Amino acid sequence: MWSQFCLSRRQAPIRQASSDGIDVRGRSVRKSVCQESRTRIISEADLEQVKWDVKNRADSDVTDAYLKIIEEAAQCTFPEEWDAQLLVDCGVTAEGQRLVMFTPGFLRPILSDDDELDRAFRFILKHMHDIAMQSKYVFVYCCLGMDWSAPVLAERLQIAFDILPRKYTKNLKRFYVLHGNNATRVTMWSYYAWLTPQFWEKIEYVNSIEKICEDLFPNNDALQAELRRRFPQVIQRQDATLNGDDPPVNFGAPIRAICNTFGVDYMDKTTGRWYPKLPPAVIFLCEALERSAADEEFGRLFDVDGKIFDLLNIVDTGNPLPRDLDPALLWCCLKAWLDCLPSPLLSFEAMDRLEKDPIQPGDVGSQRDFLVELFHKKLPKEVAFVALYLASFLHTMCNVAQDRLGGKSDAAAADLPAPTLDQLTAFLEPDGVDLGFQVMLTPATASKAFASGFLRPRAFTPEFLKALPSAESLIATLIESAEEKELWIGGPPPDWAKGAESSEDQSP
């Protein structure tokens, strides 16, 4: 939202304030945020310099304070899922303008953490700088019930009002407010004194995703569907409810339907690989596990309490994950999501082949040939990318576990037994059960826990039981080989800036 209300501001000389804090039109002059509550994004000295510049220059250029924050942001690391949910680069419109989608509702889990809010401010400013200062652009603000009058948000909005260059407004072509209610409009009007007439003319309130898609890609059903996919699942659910449709869900939906309905284009900064249309639930669960180095909690996969149901509901509806979750809950939720897929990631057909012609465990050469054929010739692209991302995640987590123990693979000697029905349903117990899964996370143990998400039969038969060791060994090899180039089917991410309308374009 910093970029929502901060795109432009009326210059200070336009408003003449009296000594009692009332301007000539009778409005209360907006006060600075209290010194003791000031965020650390910008120093008081820098902020005062910015205000002086605004008052004494007819055209406010890029300030040193703004550039300082951009430089600081370049040195920061950010949660990778912010690119996929908070501020999303949606490419270019039919007219060649950059398209940005902002859903500040994903900040809810960090509203009580000033440091995290400052980090989010830097993230938003850094990414908007690369777009708004270079190209014409369209901004879509997705409302999700955020209260911008809260002090922790209001003070950051005011900082943004003070430091953002005027070019943000100059390059803005349209500003959509999606699902805004009366409270949203009141909030917007509360910032009237800071926004130019040119900015107000670009605001458009819309009540459906369809309207935005039709506006930006007229008479192009394919591109409208592609833009619709970029809207977060929780926003699509809100849109469906408002328009009388069935809200989309995560659990039990076909993988290709998830990918093509609200899949996220995602750059994995750990591996440098770009994955198109990944299910957002997979990204958020895996990134939360990786960020917390949760390999040690893998053994408690089936040892969770009733809180799992709250997490399952959050993931099913696409809402932001709470902070500081028990990693065991995340592991359990990831497995539940995989096992609820109507078909396994590597297909029923792959399991049929293993039942008829099993590959002996340990025959790595034959296993890799089998996997290369699957990924390059058999699997749909959407499904293949999900399987590769999950295998890469498990590969990374296994490396974390090995590094934690000084690379001593013999620590993994304890084997993880195949889960029983009682273990699979253990999380239903309110107090949790100690099932003795305190073992090192390795490709072998990970394959035993997650094999059913990658490979399973249509029906459990004696042939399947015989082929189960082959299936688990194949998944272990997939995890070990996940980042080898022979399996990779992707390419570089698109460069949206090349097709964008330059800010130097003189078109109105």
Side-chain angles (χ1 to χ4, degrees), residues 252-268:
I255 188 67
R256 296 184 72 183
I258 294 175
C259 293
N260 290 307
T261 302
F262 47 86
V264 169
D265 297 339
Y266 180 69
M267 171 62 76
D268 184 355

Side-chain angles (χ1 to χ4, degrees), residues 168-181:
Y168 274 62
T169 296
K170 180 180 178 181
N171 284 339
L172 176 67
K173 303 301 290 184
R174 303 189 210 183
F175 189 100
Y176 289 104
V177 180
L178 176 63
H179 301 154
N181 54 23

Side-chain angles (χ1 to χ4, degrees), residues 134-190:
Q134 306 297 327
S135 310
K136 306 292 184 183
Y137 70 102
V138 174
F139 195 89
V140 180
Y141 168 59
C142 300
C143 298
L144 199 60
M146 290 288 284
D147 179 11
W148 289 97
S149 64
V152 293
L153 298 178
E155 64 172 326
R156 289 167 177 81
L157 282 177
Q158 186 170 4
I159 291 172
F161 290 149
D162 291 331
I163 68 172
L164 281 188
R166 294 182 64 200
K167 205 167 188 179
Y168 274 62
T169 296
K170 180 180 178 181
N171 284 339
L172 176 67
K173 303 301 290 184
R174 303 189 210 183
F175 189 100
Y176 289 104
V177 180
L178 176 63
H179 301 154
N181 54 23
N182 289 337
T184 307
R185 293 172 184 258
V186 169
T187 300
M188 292 288 289
W189 277 102
S190 72

Side-chain angles (χ1 to χ4, degrees), residues 124-351:
I124 294 167
L125 208 62
K126 175 181 180 293
H127 285 68
M128 284 305 301
H129 173 80
D130 295 337
I131 295 173
M133 296 297 287
Q134 306 297 327
S135 310
K136 306 292 184 183
Y137 70 102
V138 174
F139 195 89
V140 180
Y141 168 59
C142 300
C143 298
L144 199 60
M146 290 288 284
D147 179 11
W148 289 97
S149 64
V152 293
L153 298 178
E155 64 172 326
R156 289 167 177 81
L157 282 177
Q158 186 170 4
I159 291 172
F161 290 149
D162 291 331
I163 68 172
L164 281 188
R166 294 182 64 200
K167 205 167 188 179
Y168 274 62
T169 296
K170 180 180 178 181
N171 284 339
L172 176 67
K173 303 301 290 184
R174 303 189 210 183
F175 189 100
Y176 289 104
V177 180
L178 176 63
H179 301 154
N181 54 23
N182 289 337
T184 307
R185 293 172 184 258
V186 169
T187 300
M188 292 288 289
W189 277 102
S190 72
Y191 291 97
Y192 174 78
W194 294 88
L195 305 176
T196 66
Q198 292 81 5
F199 176 78
W200 281 104
E201 292 171 358
K202 298 172 183 179
I203 297 176
E204 182 174 351
Y205 292 90
V206 292
N207 294 320
S208 73
I209 292 173
E210 206 64 33
K211 175 66 167 62
I212 298 175
C213 295
E214 291 172 355
D215 279 358
L216 299 181
F217 297 100
N219 304 316
N220 193 323
D221 292 343
L223 290 180
Q224 287 179 22
E226 181 67 9
L227 175 57
R228 193 178 303 111
R229 172 180 68 82
R230 305 296 188 94
F231 285 86
Q233 181 197 1
V234 66
I235 298 299
Q236 292 195 38
R237 287 181 60 84
Q238 185 172 261
D239 190 75
T241 300
L242 291 172
N243 293 285
D245 299 322
D246 293 331
V249 295
N250 257 304
F251 282 93
I255 188 67
R256 296 184 72 183
I258 294 175
C259 293
N260 290 307
T261 302
F262 47 86
V264 169
D265 297 339
Y266 180 69
M267 171 62 76
D268 184 355
K269 295 181 175 64
T270 301
T271 62
R273 288 178 170 179
W274 183 72
Y275 296 86
K277 301 183 180 180
L278 285 185
V282 172
I283 297 173
F284 305 153
L285 290 170
C286 291
E287 291 303 321
L289 284 164
E290 185 175 344
R291 192 161 50 244
S292 60
D295 62 286
E296 291 184 89
E297 306 302 322
F298 171 74
R300 296 198 299 115
L301 172 64
F302 305 105
D303 182 14
V304 294
D305 57 23
K307 293 180 181 178
I308 186 63
F309 295 110
D310 293 332
L311 180 58
L312 293 175
N313 183 63
I314 288 171
V315 171
D316 195 36
T317 55
N319 280 284
L321 295 180
R323 302 187 73 198
D324 303 321
L325 283 169
D326 181 354
L329 294 173
L330 298 171
W331 281 116
C332 183
C333 187
L334 179 61
K335 177 171 174 57
W337 183 87
L338 279 168
D339 288 347
C340 284
L341 292 175
S343 60
L345 290 176
L346 300 187
S347 76
F348 287 124
E349 290 72 22
M351 191 68 238

